[in-house]
């Protein structure tokens, strides 16, 4: 098997192991009464998603929290209809969590030049109990980790292949990550600078100013609907 094939096999193996761990822990936790009865933050997201599924965005007030997670939940609730939507939501979170962990393998290869580094990072993430625990609850942590891992992967691709299409791909990836956890705005400049420095690309010369502008414009376009929603309801954030 060639090196690319081995890396692909490593990504697939990590994904399968991570998903299997999620399913096993979820099965072991099947008798937990809070699985079918959300409480605290999970209850607030559950009610928010039910309201969105029933009423849509027309009656939705200002977004004081990132709206992506409740919107995803609302879509699941609408598809589920009268059936209990929680198992489907938890399964989706398991798949997203496993995908995020698997993405650490190519990220390790890109940023550290070592597939082994990515596998080690994936092992650490898989052994991090809170990450697995949050994937079994109606909380946005898993979606946030998955969207941030996807955004980092898209940024890595843009640094390896600096083309308009790769910049346009990185833009919406970061936009979705921001709509999932607004704190992502704080790490965007750090991730961009770190990615460019690791790839030893000039920050001023070359295609980066133009491609960076493309990425920023596309990311802003993804975030824009939430901004317009808030402005229409009297909030400029």
């Amino acid at each position: 098997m060639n090196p690319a094939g081995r890396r692909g096999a490593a990504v697939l193996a990590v994904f399968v192991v991570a998903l299997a761990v999620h399913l096993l822990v979820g099965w072991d936790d099947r008798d937990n009464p809070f699985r079918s009865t959300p409480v605290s933050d999970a209850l607030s997201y559950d009610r928010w998603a039910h309201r969105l599924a029933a009423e849509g965005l027309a009656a939705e007030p200002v977004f004081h929290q990132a709206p992506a997670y409740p919107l995803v939940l609302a879509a699941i609730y609408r598809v589920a209809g009268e059936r209990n939507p929680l198992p489907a939501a938890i399964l989706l979170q398991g798949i997203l969590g496993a995908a995020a962990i698997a993405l650490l393998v190519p990220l390790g290869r890109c940023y550290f030049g070592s597939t082994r580094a990515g596998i080690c990072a994936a092992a650490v993430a898989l052994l991090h109990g809170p990450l697995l625990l949050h994937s079994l609850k109606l909380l946005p942590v898993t979606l946030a980790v998955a969207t941030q891992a996807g955004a980092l992967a898209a940024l890595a691709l843009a640094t390896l292949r600096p083309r308009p299409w790769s910049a346009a791909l990185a833009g919406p990836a970061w936009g979705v990550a921001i709509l999932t956890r607004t704190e992502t705005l704080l790490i965007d400049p750090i991730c961009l600078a770190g990615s460019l420095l690791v790839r030893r690309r000039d920050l001023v010369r070359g295609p980066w100013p133009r491609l960076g502008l493309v990425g920023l414009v596309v990311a802003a376009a993804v975030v824009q609907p939430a901004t317009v929603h808030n402005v229409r309801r009297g909030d400029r954030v």
Side-chain angles (χ1 to χ4, degrees):
M1 186 181 293
N2 57 42
R6 288 196 294 269
R7 290 194 292 271
V11 173
L12 179 60
V14 169
F15 173 80
V16 171
V17 170
L19 183 59
V21 169
H22 172 86
L23 294 176
L24 287 172
V25 174
W27 176 258
D28 184 63
D29 192 53
R30 65 189 181 280
D31 294 328
N32 186 340
F34 297 117
R35 288 290 298 273
S36 57
T37 307
V39 297
S40 190
D41 287 352
L43 178 60
S44 68
Y45 282 111
D46 178 63
R47 289 174 174 172
W48 190 357
H50 273 296
R51 185 175 71 245
L52 286 170
E55 303 176 5
L57 290 171
E60 186 66 19
V62 171
F63 291 137
H64 291 295
Q65 291 178 278
Y69 182 68
L71 287 171
V72 170
L73 277 185
I76 295 173
Y77 288 6
R78 293 198 68 172
V79 171
E82 298 298 324
R83 293 170 295 175
N84 180 11
L86 297 184
I90 298 302
L91 176 59
L92 177 60
Q93 291 186 173
I95 294 172
L96 290 174
I101 292 174
L103 277 174
L104 292 174
V105 177
L107 287 174
R109 176 68 182 177
C110 177
Y111 290 108
F112 296 96
S114 169
T115 301
R116 291 182 179 178
I119 293 174
C120 289
V124 171
L126 186 59
L127 293 173
H128 184 58
L131 183 61
L132 180 60
L133 178 65
H134 282 102
S135 71
L136 298 173
K137 301 178 181 295
L138 291 182
L139 295 172
V141 175
T142 303
L143 183 61
V145 171
T147 55
Q148 289 170 16
L152 283 171
L155 182 59
L157 179 63
T159 59
L160 287 169
R161 300 180 180 179
R163 300 290 187 274
W165 64 266
S166 61
L169 178 65
W174 281 104
V176 172
I178 291 167
L179 288 175
T180 306
R181 295 288 288 192
T182 49
E183 305 94 302
T184 305
L185 283 166
L186 300 176
I187 66 170
D188 285 356
I190 299 173
C191 291
L192 178 59
S195 177
L196 295 178
L197 290 174
V198 167
R199 302 306 305 173
R200 294 180 173 83
R201 296 199 178 273
D202 195 303
L203 292 174
V204 179
R205 294 179 298 176
W208 274 105
R210 183 180 72 256
L211 296 182
L213 180 60
V214 171
L216 288 173
V217 168
V218 178
V222 173
V223 178
Q224 189 68 14
T227 305
V228 171
H229 174 90
N230 280 2
V231 169
R232 287 179 174 176
R233 283 150 182 79
D235 194 317
R236 291 188 295 273
V237 179

